[in-house]
Amino acid sequence: QSGLSVVYTELLDFDGVEIYFKEETTLKGKTFKEILFSYETSSVIGLLSKSGQVLINPPMDTVISEKDSLIVIAEDDDTILLSEKSDYEIKDNLFQAPKPHNLKKEKTLILGWNEKGTRIISELENYVGTGSEITIVSELEETKEELKNIKFKKQKLKLMQANITDRNILNSLNVASYNYIIILCYTKDMDIQEADAKTLICLLHLRDISDKTGKNLSIVSEMLDNKNRDLAEVTKADDFIVSDRIISLMLSQLSEKKELKKVFDILFEAEGSEIYLKPVTDYVKTGDSMNFYTILESAAIKNQVAIGYRIHAYANDASRAYGVVINPKKSDLIRFTSEDKIIVIAEE
């Protein structure tokens, strides 16, 4: 999902919005759906019971007890303030039902390899349809050995030992035929800058192929050094994952609030509710201005919690957080296009 790393970084970085726990006894007896609309500048995503159970995106009719704490996305804990007005406008005439999104056969190309690779392709089993294909191109001889014990139910695996910076190899793969391309950095027997350099060369080749064929490629690339991300953005890949930074930010958050572990366990696993970037047309008609309360209501009808949006026109603009807006002020008006996304927490 293009843009997802920006969402997670925003939630984990102390400079942006964060996840907080908030006791709000005045909301006792209200349903979870009602509470979603109780904050103008904060986003409720779940509940923490007194026993320590975490519920992310619980059923909308869940009634809040005085012993429950709210799990909230906010700028700071002192900005989690109940809204003073309840006369917000919801344009229900703009609501749209989502089109069926069945799991389809997909082709995934992984270029490069490291110890995360086996976990990644195992997790992909949860998101692709039966008969999907995954091709791995790695110059490491041990990749074959690491893959031999993985059991596939939905995916067919093809492994090629080759250099991902070789243009002839990339041309032979017909990269435009793949639904998704993932680039992994080599981390064994290679320093960080050399590994990132290989990734960058591969990205430059892929951008050139995309320009010459006129076909957009869906590319998510791992980077090891966050400083190299700025350099890599010239390749216009869809997303960059600076894996060590994500892990460091998460550990820092946990050191401050250990209860967040249960929240992260849910959000980062395939089971339960997760963060998705879904087409705006699954929720509302485009072209009309509306507030975020309208989006929130349309999502809640589908048993989802809307926490933000991504504007496609800014997808390559670092100064605008690549188009990602988390926890928007709900009364502000916005106009969407059909290429924009709504960021939700949902079961699937």
Side-chain angles (χ1 to χ4, degrees):
Q1 297 186 80
S2 174
L4 191 56
S5 77
V6 182
V7 176
Y8 280 126
T9 301
E10 178 72 7
L11 292 175
L12 295 171
D13 194 330
F14 289 99
D15 290 335
V17 296
E18 296 175 51
I19 299 175
Y20 295 94
F21 299 94
K22 174 72 172 179
E23 293 184 10
E24 201 77 78
T25 56
T26 58
L27 297 177
K28 174 188 173 183
K30 290 185 177 291
T31 65
F32 181 70
K33 182 180 178 182
E34 290 175 313
I35 290 175
L36 294 179
F37 295 84
S38 298
Y39 295 91
E40 163 80 356
T41 58
S42 302
S43 300
V44 179
I45 63 171
L47 304 171
L48 172 66
S49 70
K50 191 170 183 178
S51 64
Q53 182 185 17
V54 166
L55 297 174
I56 300 297
N57 183 33
M60 291 293 158
D61 59 359
T62 301
V63 177
I64 311 304
S65 77
E66 62 182 9
K67 296 180 180 179
D68 293 329
S69 294
L70 306 181
I71 304 173
V72 185
I73 296 173
E75 287 286 344
D76 207 312
D77 54 358
D78 60 6
T79 65
I80 307 173
L81 304 172
L82 290 169
S83 180
E84 296 180 356
K85 62 178 183 178
S86 58
D87 57 345
Y88 43 79
E89 180 186 18
I90 293 178
K91 295 184 176 180
D92 55 7
N93 61 306
L94 297 180
F95 289 174
Q96 287 201 153
K99 296 178 182 178
H101 293 292
N102 297 322
L103 293 178
K104 301 177 181 178
K105 292 182 181 180
E106 294 179 344
K107 293 178 64 179
T108 302
L109 174 63
I110 295 182
L111 300 169
W113 190 255
N114 58 44
E115 69 280 357
K116 305 180 193 73
T118 52
R119 179 63 184 270
I120 290 170
I121 60 178
S122 296
E123 287 292 329
L124 282 173
E125 283 278 300
N126 297 300
Y127 301 98
V128 299
T130 301
S132 295
E133 300 175 21
I134 182 164
T135 300
I136 300 170
V137 181
S138 169
E139 58 189 70
L140 303 178
E141 294 182 2
E142 56 265 35
T143 303
K144 183 177 181 180
E145 185 69 20
E146 293 175 14
L147 292 170
K148 71 177 186 179
N149 294 323
I150 299 180
K151 305 298 182 183
F152 294 102
K153 294 181 179 179
K154 298 179 180 179
Q155 301 175 99
K156 297 177 182 178
L157 176 64
K158 178 183 178 182
L159 174 62
M160 177 187 299
Q161 186 174 347
N163 185 352
I164 65 171
T165 65
D166 188 326
R167 180 58 176 264
N168 292 327
I169 295 295
L170 296 176
N171 287 337
S172 70
L173 289 168
N174 187 20
V175 293
S177 68
Y178 289 88
N179 300 96
Y180 305 105
I181 300 173
I182 300 170
I183 302 180
L184 296 179
C185 290
Y186 292 110
T187 56
K188 186 176 182 180
D189 301 325
M190 193 177 297
D191 66 36
I192 289 176
Q193 297 307 321
E194 183 181 358
D196 276 356
K198 274 185 173 287
T199 299
L200 181 58
I201 292 170
C202 183
L203 282 167
L204 289 169
H205 282 313
L206 291 175
R207 177 181 175 181
D208 189 55
I209 291 172
S210 176
D211 290 342
K212 288 182 176 178
T213 60
K215 294 183 178 180
N216 291 324
L217 304 178
S218 177
I219 306 170
V220 173
S221 175
E222 180 184 26
M223 301 295 292
L224 299 179
D225 187 338
N226 194 50
K227 295 189 292 292
N228 291 330
R229 175 175 179 148
D230 295 336
L231 183 62
E233 282 169 1
V234 70
T235 65
K236 296 185 178 179
D238 293 283
D239 214 341
F240 296 96
I241 311 293
V242 186
S243 49
D244 287 350
R245 181 166 185 256
I246 291 284
I247 293 169
S248 297
L249 289 173
M250 182 182 292
L251 289 173
S252 297
Q253 288 282 350
L254 292 175
S255 71
E256 294 285 330
K257 300 185 283 283
K258 65 179 184 298
E259 297 87 353
L260 281 173
K261 182 182 184 303
K262 295 178 181 179
V263 177
F264 294 150
D265 284 346
I266 295 172
L267 292 179
F268 282 97
E269 288 287 348
E271 298 298 323
S273 291
E274 302 163 81
I275 297 176
Y276 291 93
L277 289 88
K278 294 179 177 283
V280 68
T281 50
D282 281 3
Y283 301 91
V284 291
K285 299 174 184 177
T286 57
D288 289 271
S289 63
M290 67 195 78
N291 59 34
F292 198 73
Y293 286 111
T294 299
I295 301 296
L296 197 64
E297 174 70 18
S298 182
I301 292 171
K302 303 170 181 62
N303 298 304
Q304 302 173 9
V305 177
I307 61 171
Y309 52 85
R310 189 188 197 194
I311 302 301
H312 178 76
Y314 305 136
N316 293 311
D317 189 342
S319 68
R320 292 179 176 264
Y322 308 96
V324 169
V325 178
I326 301 294
N327 187 40
K329 185 177 179 182
K330 296 181 180 68
S331 60
D332 286 348
L333 297 179
I334 185 169
R335 194 186 304 267
F336 293 105
T337 70
S338 59
E339 294 182 294
D340 297 331
K341 304 283 187 181
I342 302 299
I343 303 170
V344 298
I345 298 178
E347 285 279 349
E348 57 183 23

